[in-house]
Amino acid sequence: MTISAARRRASIADVARVAGVSVGTVSNVLNRPERVLPATRERVEAAIEELAFVRNGSARQLRAGTITTVGAIVLDIANPFFTDVARGIEARLERDDYTVMVASSDDDPVREHRYLRLFEEHGVQGVMVVPATDDISHLLSLRERGVGVVLLDRPSPVADLSSVAVDDVHGGELAARHLLEQGHTRIAFLNGPHAIRQCADRHVGVVRALEEAGLDPAEALVEVTVPSLNADGGEAGIRTLLARGDRPTAVFCVNDLTALGALRTLRREGIVVPDEVALVGYDDVTFAAELATPLTSVRQPTHQLGETAADILLRGRDVPAEQVVFQPELVVRASSLSPG
Amino acid sequence: MTISAARRRASIADVARVAGVSVGTVSNVLNRPERVLPATRERVEAAIEELAFVRNGSARQLRAGTITTVGAIVLDIANPFFTDVARGIEARLERDDYTVMVASSDDDPVREHRYLRLFEEHGVQGVMVVPATDDISHLLSLRERGVGVVLLDRPSPVADLSSVAVDDVHGGELAARHLLEQGHTRIAFLNGPHAIRQCADRHVGVVRALEEAGLDPAEALVEVTVPSLNADGGEAGIRTLLARGDRPTAVFCVNDLTALGALRTLRREGIVVPDEVALVGYDDVTFAAELATPLTSVRQPTHQLGETAADILLRGRDVPAEQVVFQPELVVRASSLSPG
DNA sequence: GCTACATTATGAACCGTTTCATCACGGCGG
DNA sequence: CCGCCGTGATGAAACGGTTCATAATGTAGC
């Protein structure tokens, strides 16, 4: 029985020794093979093969100073909206041979900070962030330290910080106005905390639509804060609403996952959608059209959102900052249509 | 107007200079603060603040040799099945203060290799991989180079490689047997390429169930290979099936996203589920129960799958390899129930 | 007053790669 | 025959932390 020592990873020096060349030559084989004689190159390649040599990324990066990687932080990677955005980001980055590391903050500012620090310590060139709170001072100072920053799914409050967003006020307005047109006069809004800007903005839009219709938001709007922006949150939101009694005839959910949970819970409680309660979601995810009651939803240009953000980040710090705002669009389906 | 020079990131040496101490002391403040006098520590901390110093992760890691990070490669990060698995992984890693980098191979072996190399170059301690092909020799050699490897959602073919899987043969069997019990004698299977082990195994299970029932798979089974394991793939699969004429009365889809696409397309074609075609999916994702026709599906212990894989990886190389296999479970809903 | 010892701080070595000034060698023109 | 030039190969410096043997200082005991 042989005892194999826990051997260290082979380094460039080991390869050089086996191939009988200098470390500089090995490095050249790896990075500028055309500069080294074919015979030498082959010897080096054989040594690499023999030792199963793998470059040490840390050393390489330490020397290089920067890497062709960017970071992205979204609120919830399990939400199809954000995976679509991430796909858009990837699509744009691939053209420039960049890679992206995607992290999910789960709406938690602490997790957001932790990932930002991780990204910065590892020398990413830039980050795209869907901030978990209204306070973005940490992103401004991050940028001052030389890291590119693009706000994602959120307009920038300052002119010199780039952002790519969808008009959430308008989105909320579209949803509420539609429900009003269907004859509803009291609307429940299952929303996330207003610390999340998208939630605050959609609320503003809803209020605006109510006021336009001559209604008093204090009476016509019942806002319920859900514990999480997913199906479980939607379920909890509906339960809260039902416990109160005096339930509205329409429910607007801050996203489709929440609407999914709402739909599930309403059905379990024997409440028929849309006859007894009309339902509108947000994001128009893949399955929205295929639900037991096809879901009316506000569609956003997800893929384009990601692509544009990545594009702005890559075009870099020399070009002036820009704020892009896309417009959402209402997709009407059965879940919100009044019977008859 | 001031011209701000593109200043270099502050290093530990800069902090030391400003604080009037040595680099070793700064490092001690960062890593073993209890060993340095409070007065000194405060001066160093002030300097860190003043210079907005952020540790260079590459340098730190280069010296340390390894990091508390592991990699995970799944087939499709947009599939709720895999995001649930990823959540399970995260949950287990968090307890040991590890972080995970998740990448999606999109069923592409080339992408899988690229990410594995990236992970290895950056010195991850281990990887959890859902392999895109049957060939796992690259994973075996990776492990020989000292990187921990756990096969994810796939049983290991060799005794000394750990794996965490769900019995896919049994899963396929459960689905097919259920359809046979409902009286169907010809079944379509919208499956992925057999290079993906899960697809091959589920096929074996289906064939086994057919044979048990005394049917000839060559006649009773129509296998359609979908171009992608998602809703678009399901749509394409149904279109292929319909173009052939002579369509079976039951369709088994390799996962719920595919089933979603199938359902959508059948509806558009005016084919009623389950009356004209029975439908069964796989994974039992969140929305399966809420679809226009609630979807019968094979449920897997996703979260536990991820947790267990991470646990085996963390327990490390000293303990012997182990192969864990969970059992799936059929959840029957309306999409597969014969009328009457 | 001297030794022994604990507490802090120091600074050089080290991790593995890339880069670049320098060198060795051969061919060629004058 | 000499100088020049181009092609390849070389080896040491540099990147920015961490670690550890060593030094400096203070304190206690005798």
Side-chain angles (χ1 to χ4, degrees):
Chain A
M1 200 201 243
T2 59
I3 296 178
S4 81
R7 95 208 104 153
R8 194 178 41 85
R9 250 170 82 160
S11 79
I12 251 191
D14 300 323
V15 174
R17 200 174 318 115
V18 170
V21 299
S22 72
V23 293
T25 302
V26 177
S27 179
N28 280 334
V29 169
L30 294 169
N31 302 304
R32 306 181 212 70
E34 74 283 358
R35 285 202 197 166
V36 33
L37 227 52
T40 317
R41 192 193 317 159
E42 276 160 29
R43 250 185 318 144
V44 171
E45 279 164 354
I48 288 176
E49 181 76 19
E50 181 188 335
L51 297 173
F53 166 74
V54 174
R55 273 227 257 306
N56 181 319
S58 307
R60 183 206 211 348
Q61 186 176 323
L62 171 60
R63 182 60 231 245
T66 182
I67 44 173
T68 57
T69 294
V70 300
I73 300 182
V74 300
L75 296 180
D76 175 15
I77 193 65
N79 187 331
F81 170 75
F82 290 116
T83 51
D84 284 354
V85 173
R87 286 241 186 274
I89 292 173
E90 272 189 337
R92 174 62 187 87
L93 291 181
E94 196 162 303
R95 294 217 304 276
D96 282 39
D97 264 321
Y98 271 62
T99 41
V100 59
M101 288 172 49
V102 183
S104 180
S105 69
D106 293 346
D107 312 327
D108 179 355
V110 176
R111 280 178 61 107
E112 180 185 321
H113 278 79
R114 198 164 60 204
Y115 278 118
L116 281 173
R117 168 158 292 257
L118 202 68
F119 286 159
E120 186 179 7
E121 286 186 353
H122 281 80
V124 299
Q125 288 195 15
V127 291
M128 285 160 277
V129 188
V130 186
T133 66
D134 218 36
D135 178 18
I136 56 161
S137 54
H138 58 295
L139 294 174
L140 292 172
S141 55
L142 179 64
R143 207 195 28 165
E144 261 165 37
R145 272 176 263 131
V147 181
V149 175
V150 176
L151 287 188
L152 196 54
D153 194 32
R154 162 90 112 80
S156 168
V158 294
D160 64 336
L161 181 64
S162 291
S163 64
V164 182
V166 184
D167 187 340
D168 283 301
V169 174
H170 188 220
E173 218 176 330
L174 284 175
R177 198 182 294 154
H178 167 68
L179 288 170
L180 294 171
E181 282 167 3
Q182 295 294 310
H184 301 280
T185 53
R186 281 192 74 232
I187 298 177
F189 184 16
L190 303 198
N191 200 7
H194 285 202
I196 301 177
R197 186 51 171 273
Q198 292 85 326
C199 299
D201 280 0
R202 289 172 201 177
H203 179 255
V204 169
V206 170
V207 168
R208 186 176 298 174
L210 290 172
E211 285 170 345
E212 264 177 28
L215 294 170
D216 175 9
E219 287 178 13
L221 181 62
V222 182
E223 189 175 18
V224 175
T225 303
V226 298
S228 57
L229 296 173
N230 52 30
D232 290 340
E235 171 156 0
I238 289 294
R239 297 214 179 281
T240 305
L241 199 62
L242 295 180
R244 284 194 198 167
D246 183 29
R247 73 164 194 260
T249 56
V251 176
F252 172 36
C253 294
V254 69
N255 69 28
D256 283 352
L257 291 184
T258 308
L260 178 71
L263 195 64
R264 182 172 72 199
T265 313
L266 288 168
R267 192 168 47 72
R268 283 191 194 149
E269 297 295 324
I271 299 167
V272 180
V273 176
D275 305 50
E276 296 176 77
V277 169
L279 195 62
V280 173
Y282 209 107
D283 290 345
D284 193 31
V285 300
T286 331
F287 58 77
E290 310 306 321
L291 294 177
T293 315
L295 186 67
T296 296
S297 194
V298 178
R299 179 183 295 166
Q300 313 191 69
T302 44
H303 200 271
Q304 211 181 345
L305 201 65
E307 253 183 313
T308 309
D311 189 62
I312 291 179
L313 195 59
L314 287 188
R315 278 190 286 111
R317 24 197 147 286
D318 18 71
V319 302
E322 58 181 303
Q323 283 86 34
V324 178
V325 178
F326 292 109
Q327 287 303 321
E329 167 190 4
L330 184 75
V331 182
V332 177
R333 300 199 182 90
S335 72
S336 64
L337 292 176
S338 297
Chain B
M1 198 201 246
T2 60
I3 296 178
S4 83
R7 98 209 99 153
R8 195 177 43 82
R9 251 171 81 160
S11 79
I12 245 189
D14 300 323
V15 174
R17 198 174 319 114
V18 169
V21 297
S22 72
V23 292
T25 302
V26 177
S27 179
N28 280 334
V29 169
L30 293 169
N31 302 303
R32 306 180 211 72
E34 75 284 357
R35 283 202 199 168
V36 37
L37 227 52
T40 317
R41 193 193 316 160
E42 275 159 29
R43 251 186 315 144
V44 172
E45 279 164 355
I48 288 176
E49 182 75 19
E50 181 188 335
L51 296 172
F53 166 74
V54 174
R55 273 224 266 286
N56 181 319
S58 307
R60 183 214 218 335
Q61 186 177 322
L62 172 58
R63 184 61 232 250
T66 182
I67 43 173
T68 57
T69 294
V70 300
I73 300 181
V74 299
L75 297 179
D76 176 15
I77 194 64
N79 187 330
F81 170 75
F82 290 116
T83 50
D84 285 353
V85 173
R87 286 241 186 275
I89 291 173
E90 272 189 337
R92 174 61 186 87
L93 291 181
E94 197 163 300
R95 294 217 303 275
D96 282 40
D97 265 319
Y98 271 61
T99 40
V100 60
M101 290 173 51
V102 183
S104 180
S105 70
D106 293 345
D107 311 329
D108 180 354
V110 176
R111 281 178 61 106
E112 179 184 322
H113 278 79
R114 198 165 58 206
Y115 278 118
L116 281 173
R117 169 157 291 257
L118 201 68
F119 285 159
E120 186 179 7
E121 286 185 353
H122 281 81
V124 299
Q125 286 195 16
V127 291
M128 286 161 277
V129 188
V130 186
T133 64
D134 218 36
D135 179 16
I136 57 162
S137 54
H138 58 297
L139 294 174
L140 291 172
S141 54
L142 179 64
R143 206 194 30 166
E144 261 165 37
R145 271 176 264 130
V147 180
V149 175
V150 175
L151 288 188
L152 198 53
D153 195 32
R154 161 90 112 79
S156 166
V158 294
D160 62 338
L161 181 64
S162 291
S163 65
V164 182
V166 185
D167 188 340
D168 283 301
V169 174
H170 188 220
E173 219 176 329
L174 284 175
R177 199 182 293 154
H178 167 68
L179 287 171
L180 294 171
E181 282 167 3
Q182 295 294 310
H184 301 281
T185 53
R186 281 192 74 234
I187 299 177
F189 184 16
L190 302 198
N191 199 9
H194 286 202
I196 300 176
R197 188 49 173 271
Q198 292 86 325
C199 299
D201 281 358
R202 289 172 201 177
H203 178 256
V204 169
V206 170
V207 168
R208 187 176 297 173
L210 290 173
E211 285 171 346
E212 265 176 29
L215 294 170
D216 176 7
E219 286 179 13
L221 180 63
V222 181
E223 189 175 19
V224 176
T225 303
V226 298
S228 56
L229 297 173
N230 53 29
D232 290 340
E235 170 156 1
I238 289 293
R239 296 215 178 281
T240 306
L241 199 62
L242 295 179
R244 283 194 197 167
D246 183 28
R247 74 163 192 260
T249 56
V251 176
F252 172 36
C253 295
V254 70
N255 69 29
D256 283 353
L257 291 184
T258 308
L260 178 71
L263 194 64
R264 180 172 74 199
T265 312
L266 288 168
R267 192 168 48 74
R268 282 192 193 149
E269 297 296 325
I271 298 168
V272 180
V273 176
D275 306 49
E276 295 175 78
V277 169
L279 195 62
V280 173
Y282 209 106
D283 291 344
D284 193 31
V285 299
T286 332
F287 58 76
E290 310 306 320
L291 293 176
T293 314
L295 186 66
T296 296
S297 193
V298 179
R299 178 183 296 166
Q300 314 191 68
T302 44
H303 200 270
Q304 209 180 346
L305 201 65
E307 255 183 313
T308 309
D311 188 64
I312 291 179
L313 195 59
L314 286 188
R315 279 192 285 112
R317 23 197 148 285
D318 17 70
V319 301
E322 59 181 302
Q323 283 87 33
V324 178
V325 178
F326 293 108
Q327 287 303 320
E329 166 189 7
L330 184 76
V331 182
V332 178
R333 300 198 182 90
S335 73
S336 65
L337 292 177
S338 297

